[in-house]
Amino acid sequence: VQKIECVNHCIKNYSKHLHRIKKDTKSVALETRKLLTNQRIKDLTRNAQKAIYANAHGDISQLKHDLQNSVPCSFGNHSKCQTYLCNHVGDTASDNMSQLVSSGGHHPIFGSLNLIVIKSSQLIDNETNNRAELFMSLLARFNMGKRLNLIQRDGFQMRSYLSALRYNVDQSWHHKSWKQYFSCNALVKTILRTTSSTCTAAMEYGKKNECVAVLKFQEKTGKTVERAGLYIDVDHGFLGASPDGNI
Ligand SMILES: [Zn+2]
Ligand SMILES: [Zn+2]
């Protein structure tokens, strides 16, 4: 099993590291921090991303090489740039690279970049988790962000299926499926179905003899038992009870 790294996350982390270098007043020289403008951080991350995209399913050593060169390219030294990555090949008119090196700023920047470089072999397929992330974001909508306890009656499972449907067939998923899963008919059936796996022999007995028990109780005590439905707590709407009868 080989771990494939998510390109988006690598790039995001790279950008985060670069911003951290920019803010590090203790161990990073002022000149470096001045050179590392927000625009330059954008260039650095974009050039690294380009290198990964350009080398997708290609040669790992070329990807490593292109990643390394994304730094001088971003700092205006295009002497070693590749034509498929850069429009300024050979241009060194606004080269800030020597300035960066003399301020020692290349160390932390290459250090952060190296975190991507050492993952090159895993990035080569240019995989992103986007598909998984998209599915999970859909699922989060269906399961209301985990706020409900959906363990009962396969609630989570069903919502996962619905998310998959939504993912696979986009908006049209609900025309048929919503009806299938959420029409009143089906819902009532799921709640009241007697073949439920949670129905034990004792429960079966209870259901059959409920009315017998009520009759006997009335005979014995002389009290009248009225039919009762579902009672819902006014203050705590999630609490409910369905007593067998009301005296
Ligand atoms: Zn990701
Ligand atoms: Zn360049």
Side-chain angles (χ1 to χ4, degrees):
V1 177
Q2 229 192 348
K3 193 182 172 207
I4 305 287
E5 291 288 338
C6 171
V7 176
N8 293 352
H9 277 128
C10 282
I11 294 295
K12 217 187 267 178
N13 284 338
Y14 182 40
S15 167
K16 210 160 60 182
H17 287 143
L18 292 173
H19 279 286
R20 215 174 281 159
I21 294 167
K22 184 180 161 59
K23 281 186 202 144
D24 186 352
T25 50
K26 270 188 188 160
S27 50
V28 178
L30 177 67
E31 203 183 347
T32 301
R33 287 185 280 115
K34 271 188 184 165
L35 281 170
L36 198 58
T37 57
N38 284 332
Q39 182 54 50
R40 203 146 260 155
I41 291 178
K42 263 185 206 160
D43 290 345
L44 281 163
T45 49
R46 204 194 48 219
N47 285 333
Q49 198 168 21
K50 264 195 204 166
I52 296 169
Y53 287 161
N55 288 292
H57 308 286
D59 179 32
I60 291 169
S61 58
Q62 187 62 46
L63 170 60
K64 282 182 182 169
H65 184 271
D66 287 346
L67 280 171
Q68 301 280 13
N69 192 62
S70 70
V71 177
C73 176
S74 307
F75 282 90
N77 184 330
H78 304 284
S79 57
K80 288 176 187 162
C81 286
Q82 305 282 344
T83 43
Y84 57 84
L85 288 173
C86 179
N87 299 324
H88 310 90
V89 178
D91 184 3
T92 53
S94 50
D95 179 10
N96 287 311
M97 202 50 202
S98 50
Q99 243 181 306
L100 180 75
V101 172
S102 67
S103 72
H106 59 304
H107 290 304
I109 293 175
F110 274 113
S112 319
L113 181 68
N114 198 43
L115 294 175
I116 305 182
V117 175
I118 55 173
K119 288 177 183 165
S120 299
S121 62
Q122 293 150 343
L123 287 168
I124 200 74
D125 289 331
N126 187 22
E127 291 282 348
T128 65
N129 268 337
N130 282 348
R131 274 159 287 171
E133 279 162 13
L134 178 60
F135 175 75
M136 288 314 287
S137 76
L138 289 171
L139 181 55
R141 294 219 306 258
F142 278 105
N143 71 10
M144 329 238 167
K146 293 186 193 161
R147 270 174 291 143
L148 298 176
N149 179 7
L150 299 169
I151 301 304
Q152 280 134 22
R153 287 205 308 274
D154 291 335
F156 185 81
Q157 197 61 44
M158 184 172 76
R159 281 167 168 82
S160 302
Y161 291 149
L162 288 175
S163 309
L165 264 175
R166 165 72 177 78
Y167 179 90
N168 283 335
V169 295
D170 206 40
Q171 300 288 354
S172 62
W173 70 274
H174 52 88
H175 294 315
K176 264 194 298 183
S177 314
W178 185 264
K179 268 186 193 162
Q180 192 183 332
Y181 283 106
F182 277 117
S183 76
C184 287
N185 205 3
L187 186 65
V188 170
K189 260 188 203 160
T190 358
I191 295 169
L192 300 179
R193 64 183 170 180
T194 49
T195 52
S196 161
S197 54
T198 49
C199 194
T200 63
M203 283 165 75
E204 203 61 59
Y205 178 84
K207 268 188 203 159
K208 272 182 197 156
N209 294 291
E210 207 175 272
C211 50
V212 181
V214 169
L215 284 172
K216 292 253 166 160
F217 176 85
Q218 289 186 126
E219 256 174 48
K220 224 176 179 179
T221 59
K223 286 177 180 161
T224 332
V225 177
E226 278 166 353
R227 286 187 53 178
L230 176 67
Y231 288 75
I232 293 173
D233 190 288
V234 180
D235 294 324
H236 309 286
F238 56 91
L239 290 176
S242 50
D244 290 343
N246 190 18
I247 307 163

